Amino acid sequence: MYTETVKSAPERASDRAYRVLRDEILDGVLPAGTVLLEVEQSARLGVSRTPLRSAVARLVADGLVAGRSGRGFSVTEMSVESINDLYELREALEERAATLAARRDDRTAFGMLRDRFVAAPALLEAGEAGIHEYYALIDEFDAAIDAAVDNSFLVGALVTVRTHLARIRRVARGNPVRLRAAAAEHLLILDAIIDGDAALAAHATHVHLHLSLASVLAVLEATETTS
Amino acid sequence: MYTETVKSAPERASDRAYRVLRDEILDGVLPAGTVLLEVEQSARLGVSRTPLRSAVARLVADGLVAGRSGRGFSVTEMSVESINDLYELREALEERAATLAARRDDRTAFGMLRDRFVAAPALLEAGEAGIHEYYALIDEFDAAIDAAVDNSFLVGALVTVRTHLARIRRVARGNPVRLRAAAAEHLLILDAIIDGDAALAAHATHVHLHLSLASVLAVLEATETTS
DNA sequence: TTCACGGTCTCTGTATACACACGCGCATTC
DNA sequence: GAATGCGCGTGTGTATACAGAGACCGTGAA
């Protein structure tokens, strides 16, 4: 395969600023409510104000930051309601995506993924590195879904959802019990897709998302009362 | 009610450039494939390159224009596949939206809309002005749905879909037969929502979108063979 | 006649300088 | 003591100048 790593990525300064700020927001380095001042951030990231403005504009389009009326921009909050809203949209999109994947002719990619999800529980015993690898596996699952639905609009909406999801995934990161259950749920979805059972794929996805949301809300409520 | 029409809208140059370009793309003044050069467009719109860059960046985020590797930006094409893809996403979103609207407690807004959709066929006899008013009614229907679902993520996705939909709605504009049928379909959806029948609302939406897509594709195929 | 190479030109990416608007703080007045 | 008005500082919005990269065109050689 032709790997285009060298010349195809001039990596503009605005791209770098966007990527860095986005990762920092997603990783929680820049918590919700953080005010982003143009001069301050441009100095910190070593770029001029112009590319930084471009980066912030893209973050606004992503919904990760919002412009405050007069003064500066700030990282958006992730309230409990917004999490419920996000999962509402996620349900609509992923159920449809699972349905389409199950109806697709070529489902060999999912067969290969299945084997690796079977081995996932062992992965989750391997500490932080294993958890990291597990999330990489989830990413590959998502990528396989994207390739199967083959719909730029639907995939685009899914990407947006996953961006916001990355912010709240942090809270469930240190919960191996939940992750093991999630692996089993993914396995069921994969089996349904491989069998071409669109209805089961959609319903298994629904169940998975229901349990995922319940877990997130439980963790959130626990940390809420703690702090 | 406090109307904030005077001071709340400084209307930045970048906003104006974005709005003008967006409207021109949606109205077909700038057809698909049109190349947007920064200096040329900034001169035409009477703004500098900086706000124009910002406007183009927003259009890229909307998916209305795409950056061509080296040279400039161009208005994206609306192929038959992309229209099918758009309707695939639209189905997932609007079925869910209709379901949520039917489950909502306060559905009085839909009752008022119903009366006006009953009168819609008469509207469609009134020439271009009537058709314009009919589309305004559709916008109010969409707005009522948005208010009912009360979910910024879902509404955001719907807004994106409607943006692209506006581009292809032009082809069906001069088809009063289809518009009359569409009004009847909307009426059925409204009745289902008012009755709190979520399943019927979703299924009626599905039917409406199926017929809408079929109409668009038929018109497109007819114009394709003509030209 | 065709292909390849080089020059030039144009357009985007970036940096910086300037203007304006909002807001805060202080002083003055009622 | 409180409220209002004025002035200043800070931060975004805009314009423009500069640099680099890519493409197109022309010319020369095979």
Side-chain angles (χ1 to χ4, degrees):
Chain A
M1 195 205 290
Y2 165 60
T3 56
E4 44 178 1
T5 53
V6 185
K7 256 186 76 73
S8 75
E11 168 110 303
R12 297 181 288 271
S14 61
D15 291 341
R16 190 160 50 86
Y18 170 73
R19 184 173 45 77
V20 170
L21 285 175
R22 185 176 176 279
D23 289 349
E24 286 180 345
I25 292 172
L26 263 41
D27 292 346
V29 178
L30 297 175
T34 303
V35 178
L36 300 178
L37 271 22
E38 286 189 2
V39 283
E40 165 185 308
Q41 295 300 319
S42 62
R44 185 172 70 89
L45 300 178
V47 300
S48 179
R49 278 183 55 211
T50 308
L52 186 111
R53 277 185 74 78
S54 172
V56 171
R58 288 169 68 180
L59 292 170
V60 170
D62 290 344
L64 291 176
V65 312
R68 311 188 304 168
S69 64
R71 215 71 161 184
F73 292 80
S74 65
V75 179
T76 53
E77 308 279 345
M78 285 294 288
S79 65
V80 172
E81 301 105 83
S82 72
I83 291 177
N84 277 299
D85 287 356
L86 180 64
Y87 267 78
E88 182 77 58
L89 174 59
R90 194 185 171 195
E91 239 181 54
L93 296 177
E94 294 201 0
E95 285 184 30
R96 178 63 54 122
T99 300
L100 291 174
R103 284 188 191 143
R104 192 170 169 79
D105 292 331
D106 181 16
R107 301 191 293 273
T108 51
F110 294 102
M112 296 183 352
L113 271 175
R114 202 201 106 94
D115 298 336
R116 300 177 55 191
F117 266 98
V118 171
L123 213 61
L124 292 171
E125 310 291 339
E128 187 61 31
I131 290 178
H132 193 271
E133 199 172 335
Y134 172 76
Y135 276 115
L137 182 56
I138 296 284
D139 287 345
E140 287 189 55
F141 175 83
D142 289 341
I145 292 282
D146 291 353
V149 300
D150 188 30
N151 179 330
S152 61
F153 288 104
L154 184 49
V155 168
L158 279 169
V159 167
T160 300
V161 167
R162 288 189 202 122
T163 297
H164 290 272
L165 203 60
R167 292 183 72 185
I168 66 182
R169 197 173 263 171
R170 293 176 53 249
V171 304
R173 191 174 184 86
N175 191 343
V177 179
R178 171 60 203 147
L179 291 182
R180 237 184 325 271
E185 292 155 25
H186 276 101
L187 205 54
L188 180 57
I189 297 170
L190 279 169
D191 280 332
I193 291 174
I194 293 165
D195 288 347
D197 190 337
L200 181 59
H203 295 156
T205 299
H206 188 112
V207 169
H208 166 60
L209 295 181
H210 173 80
L211 295 172
S212 170
L213 175 58
S215 166
V216 168
L217 292 180
V219 172
L220 226 58
E221 199 165 345
T223 55
E224 199 72 19
T225 51
T226 306
S227 63
Chain B
M1 194 205 291
Y2 165 61
T3 56
E4 43 176 1
T5 53
V6 185
K7 258 188 73 76
S8 76
E11 169 110 305
R12 295 182 288 271
S14 60
D15 291 342
R16 189 160 50 85
Y18 170 73
R19 183 173 46 78
V20 171
L21 285 175
R22 185 175 176 279
D23 288 349
E24 286 181 345
I25 292 171
L26 262 40
D27 291 346
V29 178
L30 296 174
T34 304
V35 178
L36 300 178
L37 271 22
E38 288 190 358
V39 283
E40 166 184 307
Q41 294 299 320
S42 61
R44 185 172 70 89
L45 301 179
V47 300
S48 179
R49 280 183 55 212
T50 308
L52 186 112
R53 277 186 74 78
S54 173
V56 171
R58 288 170 67 180
L59 292 170
V60 170
D62 290 344
L64 292 176
V65 311
R68 310 188 304 169
S69 63
R71 214 69 162 187
F73 292 80
S74 64
V75 179
T76 53
E77 308 280 345
M78 284 295 288
S79 65
V80 173
E81 301 105 83
S82 72
I83 290 177
N84 277 298
D85 287 357
L86 180 63
Y87 267 79
E88 182 75 57
L89 174 59
R90 194 185 172 195
E91 238 181 54
L93 296 177
E94 294 201 1
E95 285 184 31
R96 178 64 54 123
T99 301
L100 291 174
R103 284 188 193 145
R104 191 171 169 78
D105 291 331
D106 180 17
R107 302 190 293 273
T108 52
F110 294 102
M112 296 180 357
L113 271 175
R114 202 201 105 95
D115 298 336
R116 300 177 55 191
F117 266 98
V118 170
L123 213 61
L124 292 172
E125 310 291 339
E128 186 63 31
I131 290 178
H132 192 272
E133 200 173 332
Y134 172 76
Y135 277 114
L137 183 54
I138 295 285
D139 287 345
E140 287 189 55
F141 175 83
D142 289 341
I145 292 283
D146 291 353
V149 301
D150 188 30
N151 179 331
S152 61
F153 287 103
L154 184 49
V155 169
L158 279 169
V159 167
T160 301
V161 167
R162 288 189 202 122
T163 297
H164 290 272
L165 204 60
R167 292 183 72 185
I168 65 182
R169 198 174 262 172
R170 293 176 54 248
V171 305
R173 192 174 184 86
N175 191 343
V177 179
R178 170 59 202 149
L179 291 183
R180 238 185 324 272
E185 291 155 25
H186 275 101
L187 204 54
L188 180 58
I189 296 170
L190 279 169
D191 281 332
I193 291 174
I194 293 166
D195 289 347
D197 190 336
L200 181 59
H203 294 155
T205 300
H206 188 112
V207 169
H208 166 59
L209 294 181
H210 173 81
L211 295 172
S212 170
L213 175 58
S215 166
V216 168
L217 292 181
V219 172
L220 227 57
E221 197 165 346
T223 56
E224 199 72 19
T225 50
T226 306
S227 63

